Amino acid sequence: YSIAAGGFHTVIAKGNTYTAAWGLNNYTQSTVPPPTAGVPMAYVAAGWYHSIAVRPSGTFQSWGKAHEGQTGGSFSVTVRTISAGWYHNVAIANDDTVRCWGLNSSGQSTVPPALVNPLAVSAGGAHTVVLLGPPPPDTDGDGVFDAQDNCPTAYNPGQTDCNNDGIGDACD
């Protein structure tokens, strides 16, 4: 089950079986649209006048008032989690990037650079919060995480690899 309270409405996803919404419906925020109606949804989020339902696959559908782009955000990636603010949304994509869209009058939809290991997100009225986990290891301290470093045991921030063998020159 997932339930979310918006500005003047509520939306629910019940056990991946259906999605329902009720309350004020002046911007269709309480009218679950096709193809969302009758499709299993994993969880939901609700903004001031908009709603979002996320499928188990991570794709999502949004509806309601769209004057600030808050019901847009059809990305080519799927999301792990999503949160709706008054007129903006924030999500963690399956590629571990943070995505924001909608109103940006207070910087709430501007994603700071170099967010590493996002664990959770929350969209407030005019702000966004991202909880970060510990950064991945960087054994040689060169600013390149070991998983992407072509020579994780030797300091080589430029990742030079003159012979293109995938092993940094510092380790050749």
Side-chain angles (χ1 to χ4, degrees):
Y1 294 93
S2 175
I3 189 166
F8 302 95
H9 70 292
T10 301
V11 61
I12 185 172
K14 183 180 179 211
N16 283 347
T17 58
Y18 72 87
T19 303
W22 61 92
L24 185 66
N25 198 32
N26 55 335
Y27 297 105
T28 69
Q29 68 269 31
S30 295
T31 302
V32 179
T36 303
V39 175
M41 294 291 168
Y43 56 95
V44 293
W48 201 246
Y49 291 113
H50 69 286
S51 303
I52 303 170
V54 180
R55 295 172 187 89
S57 66
T59 60
F60 61 93
Q61 172 77 34
S62 53
W63 64 94
K65 191 171 185 178
H67 72 294
E68 298 292 348
Q70 65 270 32
T71 59
S74 296
F75 304 115
S76 60
V77 296
T78 55
V79 299
R80 297 195 269 145
T81 187
I82 199 166
S83 179
W86 284 354
Y87 297 110
H88 77 289
N89 305 301
V90 59
I92 300 175
N94 283 342
D95 64 2
D96 284 330
T97 58
V98 176
R99 309 286 180 107
C100 293
W101 64 99
L103 183 66
N104 197 33
S105 60
S106 300
Q108 65 268 40
S109 292
T110 301
V111 179
L115 289 180
V116 177
N117 197 15
L119 300 177
V121 292
S122 183
H127 65 286
T128 298
V129 179
V130 180
L131 175 66
L132 300 176
D138 177 16
T139 304
D140 58 13
D142 62 4
V144 180
F145 300 125
D146 289 352
Q148 289 82 37
D149 199 328
N150 64 13
C151 182
T153 59
Y155 184 85
N156 62 333
Q159 299 294 290
T160 307
D161 181 13
C162 290
N163 62 2
N164 294 317
D165 66 354
I167 299 171
D169 292 345
C171 287
D172 275 339

Coordinates of all heavy atoms in Angstrom, one line a residue, residues 115-167:
L115 N 26.1 15.0 -6.7 CA 25.4 14.3 -5.6 C 25.7 12.8 -5.8 O 25.5 12.2 -6.8 CB 23.8 14.5 -5.8 CG 23.3 15.8 -5.4 CD1 21.8 15.8 -5.6 CD2 23.6 16.2 -4.0
V116 N 26.3 12.2 -4.7 CA 26.8 10.9 -4.8 C 26.0 10.0 -3.8 O 25.8 10.4 -2.7 CB 28.3 10.8 -4.5 CG1 28.8 9.4 -4.5 CG2 29.1 11.6 -5.5
N117 N 25.5 8.9 -4.3 CA 24.8 7.9 -3.5 C 23.6 8.4 -2.8 O 23.4 8.3 -1.6 CB 25.8 7.3 -2.4 CG 25.3 6.0 -1.8 OD1 24.4 5.4 -2.3 ND2 25.9 5.6 -0.7
P118 N 22.6 8.9 -3.6 CA 21.3 9.4 -3.0 C 20.5 8.2 -2.5 O 20.4 7.2 -3.2 CB 20.6 10.0 -4.2 CG 21.2 9.4 -5.4 CD 22.6 9.0 -5.1
L119 N 20.0 8.3 -1.3 CA 19.3 7.2 -0.7 C 17.8 7.5 -0.6 O 17.0 6.6 -0.7 CB 19.8 7.0 0.8 CG 21.2 6.6 0.9 CD1 21.5 6.5 2.4 CD2 21.5 5.3 0.2
A120 N 17.4 8.8 -0.4 CA 16.0 9.2 -0.3 C 15.9 10.6 -0.7 O 16.8 11.4 -0.7 CB 15.5 9.0 1.1
V121 N 14.7 11.0 -1.2 CA 14.3 12.4 -1.6 C 13.0 12.8 -1.0 O 12.1 11.9 -0.7 CB 14.3 12.5 -3.1 CG1 15.7 12.4 -3.7 CG2 13.3 11.6 -3.8
S122 N 12.8 14.1 -0.8 CA 11.6 14.6 -0.4 C 11.4 16.0 -0.9 O 12.3 16.8 -0.8 CB 11.5 14.7 1.2 OG 10.2 15.1 1.6
A123 N 10.3 16.3 -1.5 CA 9.9 17.6 -2.1 C 9.0 18.3 -1.1 O 8.0 17.8 -0.8 CB 9.3 17.4 -3.5
G124 N 9.4 19.5 -0.7 CA 8.6 20.3 0.2 C 7.8 21.3 -0.6 O 7.7 21.2 -1.9
G125 N 7.3 22.4 0.0 CA 6.6 23.4 -0.6 C 7.4 24.1 -1.7 O 7.1 24.1 -2.9
A126 N 8.6 24.6 -1.3 CA 9.5 25.3 -2.2 C 10.9 24.9 -2.0 O 11.8 25.7 -2.1 CB 9.3 26.9 -2.1
H127 N 11.1 23.7 -1.6 CA 12.5 23.2 -1.4 C 12.5 21.7 -1.6 O 11.5 21.0 -1.7 CB 12.9 23.5 0.1 CG 12.2 22.8 1.1 ND1 10.9 23.2 1.5 CD2 12.5 21.8 1.9 CE1 10.4 22.4 2.5 NE2 11.4 21.5 2.7
T128 N 13.7 21.1 -1.8 CA 13.9 19.7 -2.0 C 15.0 19.2 -1.1 O 16.0 19.9 -0.9 CB 14.3 19.5 -3.5 OG1 13.2 19.9 -4.3 CG2 14.6 18.0 -3.8
V129 N 14.8 18.0 -0.5 CA 15.8 17.5 0.3 C 16.3 16.1 -0.3 O 15.5 15.3 -0.7 CB 15.2 17.2 1.7 CG1 16.3 16.6 2.7 CG2 14.7 18.5 2.3
V130 N 17.6 15.9 -0.3 CA 18.2 14.6 -0.7 C 19.0 14.1 0.4 O 20.0 14.8 0.9 CB 19.0 14.8 -2.0 CG1 19.6 13.5 -2.5 CG2 18.2 15.5 -3.1
L131 N 18.7 12.9 0.8 CA 19.6 12.2 1.8 C 20.6 11.4 1.1 O 20.3 10.6 0.2 CB 18.7 11.3 2.7 CG 19.5 10.4 3.7 CD1 20.1 11.3 4.8 CD2 18.5 9.4 4.3
L132 N 21.9 11.7 1.4 CA 23.0 11.0 0.8 C 23.6 10.0 1.7 O 23.7 10.2 2.9 CB 24.1 12.0 0.3 CG 23.6 13.1 -0.6 CD1 24.8 14.0 -0.9 CD2 23.1 12.5 -1.9
G133 N 24.0 8.8 1.1 CA 24.7 7.8 1.9 C 26.2 8.1 1.8 O 26.6 9.1 1.2
P134 N 27.0 7.3 2.4 CA 28.5 7.5 2.3 C 28.9 7.4 0.8 O 28.4 6.6 0.1 CB 29.1 6.4 3.2 CG 28.0 5.4 3.3 CD 26.7 6.1 3.1
P135 N 29.9 8.1 0.4 CA 30.4 8.0 -0.9 C 31.1 6.7 -1.2 O 31.6 6.1 -0.3 CB 31.4 9.2 -1.1 CG 31.8 9.5 0.3 CD 30.7 9.1 1.2
P136 N 31.1 6.3 -2.4 CA 31.9 5.0 -2.7 C 33.4 5.2 -2.5 O 33.8 6.3 -2.4 CB 31.6 4.8 -4.2 CG 30.5 5.7 -4.6 CD 30.5 6.8 -3.6
P137 N 34.1 4.1 -2.3 CA 35.5 4.2 -2.0 C 36.3 4.8 -3.2 O 36.0 4.6 -4.3 CB 36.0 2.8 -1.7 CG 34.9 1.9 -2.4 CD 33.7 2.7 -2.4
D138 N 37.4 5.6 -2.8 CA 38.4 6.1 -3.7 C 39.7 5.9 -3.0 O 40.3 6.7 -2.4 CB 38.1 7.6 -3.9 CG 39.2 8.3 -4.8 OD1 39.9 7.6 -5.5 OD2 39.3 9.5 -4.7
T139 N 40.2 4.7 -3.2 CA 41.4 4.2 -2.5 C 42.6 5.1 -2.7 O 43.4 5.4 -1.7 CB 41.8 2.8 -3.0 OG1 40.6 1.9 -2.8 CG2 43.0 2.2 -2.2
D140 N 42.8 5.6 -3.9 CA 44.0 6.4 -4.2 C 43.8 7.9 -3.9 O 44.7 8.7 -4.1 CB 44.6 6.2 -5.6 CG 43.6 6.4 -6.7 OD1 42.5 7.1 -6.4 OD2 43.8 6.0 -7.8
G141 N 42.6 8.3 -3.6 CA 42.3 9.7 -3.3 C 42.4 10.7 -4.4 O 42.6 11.9 -4.2
D142 N 42.2 10.2 -5.7 CA 42.4 11.1 -6.8 C 41.0 11.7 -7.3 O 41.0 12.4 -8.3 CB 43.0 10.3 -8.0 CG 42.2 9.1 -8.5 OD1 41.1 8.9 -8.0 OD2 42.7 8.4 -9.4
G143 N 39.9 11.4 -6.5 CA 38.6 12.0 -6.9 C 37.9 11.2 -7.9 O 36.8 11.6 -8.3
V144 N 38.4 10.0 -8.3 CA 37.7 9.1 -9.1 C 37.4 7.8 -8.3 O 38.3 7.2 -7.8 CB 38.6 8.7 -10.4 CG1 37.8 7.8 -11.3 CG2 39.0 10.0 -11.1
F145 N 36.1 7.5 -8.2 CA 35.7 6.4 -7.4 C 36.3 5.1 -8.0 O 36.4 4.9 -9.2 CB 34.2 6.3 -7.3 CG 33.6 7.5 -6.6 CD1 32.6 8.2 -7.2 CD2 34.0 7.9 -5.4 CE1 32.0 9.3 -6.7 CE2 33.5 9.0 -4.8 CZ 32.5 9.7 -5.4
D146 N 36.6 4.1 -7.1 CA 37.3 2.9 -7.5 C 36.6 2.2 -8.7 O 37.3 1.7 -9.6 CB 37.5 2.0 -6.3 CG 38.5 2.4 -5.3 OD1 39.2 3.4 -5.6 OD2 38.6 1.8 -4.2
A147 N 35.3 2.2 -8.6 CA 34.5 1.5 -9.7 C 34.7 2.1 -11.1 O 34.6 1.4 -12.1 CB 33.0 1.4 -9.3
Q148 N 35.1 3.4 -11.1 CA 35.3 4.0 -12.4 C 36.8 4.3 -12.7 O 37.2 4.7 -13.8 CB 34.6 5.4 -12.5 CG 33.1 5.2 -12.6 CD 32.4 5.0 -11.3 OE1 32.8 5.6 -10.3 NE2 31.4 4.2 -11.2
D149 N 37.6 4.0 -11.7 CA 39.1 4.4 -11.8 C 39.8 3.3 -12.6 O 39.7 2.1 -12.3 CB 39.7 4.5 -10.4 CG 41.0 5.2 -10.3 OD1 41.7 5.2 -11.3 OD2 41.2 5.8 -9.3
N150 N 40.6 3.7 -13.6 CA 41.3 2.8 -14.4 C 42.6 2.3 -13.8 O 43.4 1.5 -14.3 CB 41.6 3.3 -15.8 CG 42.5 4.6 -15.9 OD1 43.1 4.9 -14.9 ND2 42.5 5.2 -17.0
C151 N 42.9 2.9 -12.6 CA 44.1 2.5 -11.8 C 43.8 2.9 -10.3 O 44.3 3.9 -9.8 CB 45.4 3.2 -12.3 SG 46.8 2.7 -11.4
P152 N 43.0 2.1 -9.6 CA 42.5 2.5 -8.3 C 43.6 2.5 -7.2 O 43.4 3.0 -6.1 CB 41.4 1.5 -8.0 CG 41.7 0.4 -8.9 CD 42.4 0.9 -10.1
T153 N 44.8 2.0 -7.5 CA 45.8 1.9 -6.5 C 46.9 3.0 -6.6 O 47.7 3.1 -5.7 CB 46.5 0.6 -6.5 OG1 47.1 0.3 -7.7 CG2 45.5 -0.6 -6.1
A154 N 46.8 3.8 -7.7 CA 47.8 4.9 -7.9 C 47.0 6.2 -8.2 O 46.1 6.2 -9.0 CB 48.7 4.6 -9.0
Y155 N 47.5 7.3 -7.6 CA 46.9 8.6 -7.8 C 47.0 9.0 -9.3 O 48.1 9.1 -9.8 CB 47.6 9.6 -6.9 CG 47.0 11.0 -7.0 CD1 45.9 11.4 -6.2 CD2 47.5 12.0 -7.9 CE1 45.4 12.6 -6.3 CE2 47.0 13.2 -8.0 CZ 45.9 13.6 -7.2 OH 45.4 14.8 -7.2
N156 N 45.9 9.1 -10.0 CA 45.8 9.5 -11.4 C 44.5 10.2 -11.8 O 43.7 9.6 -12.4 CB 46.1 8.3 -12.3 CG 45.0 7.2 -12.1 OD1 44.3 7.1 -11.1 ND2 44.8 6.4 -13.1
P157 N 44.3 11.4 -11.3 CA 43.1 12.1 -11.5 C 42.7 12.3 -13.0 O 41.5 12.4 -13.3 CB 43.3 13.4 -10.8 CG 44.7 13.6 -10.7 CD 45.3 12.3 -10.6
G158 N 43.7 12.3 -13.9 CA 43.4 12.5 -15.3 C 43.0 11.2 -16.0 O 42.6 11.3 -17.1
Q159 N 43.2 10.1 -15.4 CA 42.9 8.8 -15.9 C 43.5 8.5 -17.3 O 43.0 7.9 -18.2 CB 41.3 8.6 -16.1 CG 40.6 8.7 -14.7 CD 40.9 7.6 -13.8 OE1 40.5 6.4 -14.1 NE2 41.6 7.8 -12.8
T160 N 44.8 9.0 -17.4 CA 45.5 8.9 -18.7 C 45.7 7.4 -19.0 O 46.1 6.6 -18.1 CB 46.9 9.6 -18.6 OG1 46.6 10.9 -18.2 CG2 47.6 9.6 -19.9
D161 N 45.5 7.0 -20.2 CA 45.6 5.6 -20.7 C 46.1 5.7 -22.2 O 45.3 5.5 -23.1 CB 44.3 4.9 -20.6 CG 44.4 3.4 -21.0 OD1 45.5 2.9 -21.2 OD2 43.3 2.8 -21.2
C162 N 47.3 6.0 -22.4 CA 47.9 6.2 -23.7 C 47.8 5.0 -24.7 O 47.5 5.2 -25.9 CB 49.4 6.7 -23.6 SG 49.5 8.3 -22.9
N163 N 47.9 3.8 -24.2 CA 47.8 2.7 -25.1 C 46.3 2.1 -25.1 O 46.1 1.1 -25.7 CB 48.8 1.6 -24.7 CG 48.5 1.0 -23.3 OD1 47.6 1.5 -22.6 ND2 49.4 0.1 -22.8
N164 N 45.4 2.8 -24.5 CA 43.9 2.4 -24.5 C 43.7 1.0 -24.2 O 42.8 0.3 -24.8 CB 43.4 2.7 -25.9 CG 43.3 4.2 -26.2 OD1 43.0 5.0 -25.4 ND2 43.8 4.5 -27.4
D165 N 44.4 0.4 -23.2 CA 44.2 -0.9 -22.7 C 43.2 -1.0 -21.6 O 43.0 -2.1 -21.0 CB 45.5 -1.6 -22.4 CG 46.2 -1.0 -21.2 OD1 45.8 0.0 -20.7 OD2 47.3 -1.6 -20.8
G166 N 42.7 0.1 -21.1 CA 41.8 0.1 -20.0 C 42.4 0.2 -18.7 O 41.8 0.3 -17.6
I167 N 43.8 0.1 -18.6 CA 44.5 0.3 -17.4 C 45.3 1.6 -17.5 O 46.0 1.9 -18.5 CB 45.5 -0.9 -17.3 CG1 44.8 -2.2 -17.2 CG2 46.4 -0.7 -16.0 CD1 45.7 -3.5 -17.3

